[in-house]
Structure formats: C-alpha cells, structure tokens
Amino acid sequence: MSSVILLAADHPMPSYDPGLQRVSVSGGYTVTAPGFSIQPHVYYRDSVAALDLDMKPYRCEVDVAATEEEAALLRTYLESNGSQGEQVELWHLWLGDDRSTHISRFHGPLSSLDQETLDQLCNPAPKNGCPGQCRITVTI
C-alpha cells in the first residue's frame, strides 16, 4: 500500500522545486531528504484514476511536511499560480486493496492554510482500521 498527496485544480499548475532539504537525525545519523516541491503527477497516475474520485482534472504530486515554513511556501505558490476566489483541492490518498473508501473533507480560505492544516493533510486520522485519507478544498 502506498500513499500520495495531490494538488488538483481546474487548470494546469506549474512544477515548483525550491531545492529545500529536510534534515533529521535517526539512530545517531543525519538524514537529508528532498523537501517541499510540486511535481507532475506521473508515478501513481493510473492508480489514482482507478479510484474514480470526483477530483479536479489537473493534478500535481506534492511533497509537503506539516511545518509552518512549508505551509508558507504552499500559500505563496497558490497565490502566485491561482486566481482570487478559485478553489483547489489537496488530497491525501492511499492506494491499494486494503484502503478505506472514506475520505474526510475539509475546506477553508488560503489564509487558514497553516501547519495545523498540513498536519490534517499529511497525517489524516485512521478510519475503521485503515490509514486515513482526506481532501482539503482551499479557496484562494
């Protein structure tokens, strides 16, 4: 089972990679991994399509962590690439046979997209013994 976080919009959204790195310490070792980015939806495209969800047509994969820094980057990206009043969707989906069909739904203005919102996106609550999924509709 794998998961993916997507940005879905009514028009194509550009890729964005500021080159940030996430640094953590595990077992005494420093681990560096790629940070916040928005990339073309390629790898899980067929698996997401097979879910047959009511999702906006233009999709990007989002690598995001629940931090205030990354929330600010996402807000800036959406302000720069969306129009006032436009709605975009952020999805966290699990792919595989043992996924729940329940997807929690939230909505709010871009100004409310903060670390707590990203925590709901990145770590949705489990449902019926299955990993959590969610959809957050953001109004720019």
Side-chain angles (χ1 to χ4, degrees), residues 42-113:
V42 178
Y43 191 69
Y44 292 117
R45 186 179 192 98
D46 292 338
S47 297
V48 170
L51 298 176
D52 197 30
L53 298 169
D54 184 19
M55 184 183 296
K56 291 185 179 281
Y58 295 95
R59 302 167 192 158
C60 302
E61 291 182 27
V62 180
D63 185 350
V64 66
T67 67
E68 194 53 54
E69 177 186 20
E70 295 196 22
L73 286 167
L74 184 53
R75 283 191 309 271
T76 299
Y77 173 86
L78 292 172
E79 287 172 346
S80 299
N81 296 289
S83 302
Q84 187 173 11
E86 175 183 3
Q87 291 188 326
V88 297
E89 302 164 343
L90 297 167
W91 294 77
H92 183 150
L93 299 170
W94 282 92
L95 309 167
D97 295 334
D98 53 349
R99 67 179 285 279
S100 170
T101 57
H102 177 79
I103 299 175
S104 298
R105 295 175 185 233
F106 307 97
H107 66 279
L110 181 61
S111 60
S112 294
L113 199 157

Side-chain angles (χ1 to χ4, degrees), residues 122-140:
C122 295
N123 305 299
K127 194 73 166 179
N128 300 326
C130 293
Q133 303 181 100
C134 76
R135 169 186 166 184
I136 299 174
T137 302
V138 178
T139 302
I140 298 173

